[in-house]
Amino acid sequence: MTRTPSGRRASLEKQPHEVAAMFDEVASRYDLTNTVISFGRDRRWRRATLAALELRPGDRVLDVGAGTGVSTAELATSGAYAVGLDLSIGMLRAGRRSRPELPLLAGDALRLPFPDEAFDAVTISLALRNVVDTGAALREMARVTRPGGRLVVCEFSTPTNPVFRTVYLSYLMRSLPAVARAVASNPDAYVYLAESIRAWPDQAGLAAQIGRSGWHRVGWRNLTGGIVALHRAVRS
């Protein structure tokens, strides 16, 4: 772990206890910071994730890496029974204070505390790149999803326009930490977040990983020019 005078950030080896500790420290202002650094587009990404899941009233949906539950609350507006799960106790505490009506549980994406085929759909938003073993997490999500159930991964990706991509990467490494210093409870954590986005596979690379992990009919849709991609798949 890299430790700085103002806080801590996880290394890109992403040991679970390091990631959890880092998110514990940013929990109090996490939702606000996300909205500021994304220029409010995080709300659009949540709505797009909900639409891609095609939830119906009565469906059971698992929101992995739910953080404070802001994404889980969006899912619940469909009438589905939405359960949020996160590794960070600090994030869950913040979520339970602001959203006491939601079932927000502590758990590891690599060892989901649910029986086989317990959910009609599963999703993970802006959190899959923080898991130490992407393939194992995708297989666990397949395990707890019924055959024919849906997966939607909302994750930072690679902008498709070369000029825009250059500008975006410059923002990530230079401007994002500066913006985070103005609003975040632990700005140093956002240096890790920027580095983790740069190290993440592109759209086709992630689609290939999903297809090797118990899912089929894998496709994706770019949002905000490819800053974020929605990958959708069906349980084999």
Side-chain angles (χ1 to χ4, degrees):
M1 181 182 299
T2 301
R3 192 178 286 272
T4 68
S6 57
R8 71 177 78 187
R9 63 184 178 93
S11 70
L12 288 180
E13 282 72 28
K14 296 178 287 193
Q15 294 304 314
H17 68 280
E18 294 181 0
V19 173
M22 183 191 72
F23 280 100
D24 287 346
E25 292 191 358
V26 301
S28 63
R29 306 188 74 183
Y30 183 75
D31 293 336
L32 170 63
T33 303
N34 275 357
T35 297
V36 170
I37 65 178
S38 70
F39 302 100
R41 286 173 173 79
D42 59 324
R43 299 186 182 98
R44 298 182 190 178
W45 300 338
R46 286 194 293 273
R47 290 195 294 269
T49 299
L50 173 61
L53 282 164
E54 298 181 347
L55 296 172
R56 297 177 293 273
D59 278 354
R60 299 157 297 168
V61 57
L62 174 62
D63 185 17
V64 181
T68 65
V70 64
S71 54
T72 316
E74 185 80 35
L75 301 178
T77 64
S78 68
Y81 177 68
V83 177
L85 180 136
D86 202 273
L87 191 63
S88 166
I89 300 301
M91 295 284 275
L92 292 169
R93 284 174 178 160
R96 287 166 182 162
R97 285 194 297 271
S98 56
R99 302 173 184 92
E101 75 285 358
L102 291 178
L104 297 175
L105 309 177
D108 188 341
L110 301 180
R111 294 179 295 276
L112 295 174
F114 305 104
D116 295 354
E117 303 179 12
F119 294 94
D120 299 292
V122 62
T123 184
I124 182 167
S125 294
L126 309 182
L128 186 58
R129 72 185 190 287
N130 298 321
V131 179
V132 67
D133 188 334
T134 302
L138 289 166
R139 289 190 295 274
E140 264 294 271
M141 286 187 273
R143 179 186 66 78
V144 302
T145 305
R146 64 167 176 81
R150 289 92 64 202
L151 166 73
V152 172
V153 176
C154 177
E155 188 54 89
F156 289 108
S157 197
T158 304
T160 54
N161 181 285
V163 175
F164 178 52
R165 182 163 61 243
T166 299
V167 172
Y168 170 65
L169 291 175
S170 176
Y171 167 73
L172 274 183
M173 302 313 297
R174 297 180 183 180
S175 302
L176 186 148
V179 173
R181 278 194 290 274
V183 294
S185 49
N186 176 10
D188 299 291
Y190 287 85
V191 176
Y192 157 79
L193 293 175
E195 292 170 348
S196 70
I197 292 168
R198 287 193 64 176
W200 188 244
D202 65 9
Q203 290 88 329
L206 179 56
Q209 284 190 295
I210 294 171
R212 293 192 297 267
S213 304
W215 302 92
H216 71 290
R217 291 166 52 190
V218 183
W220 72 83
R221 170 192 169 201
N222 289 316
L223 303 176
T224 318
I227 287 178
V228 161
L230 284 184
H231 283 72
R232 190 180 189 278
V234 176
R235 168 74 153 79
S236 300

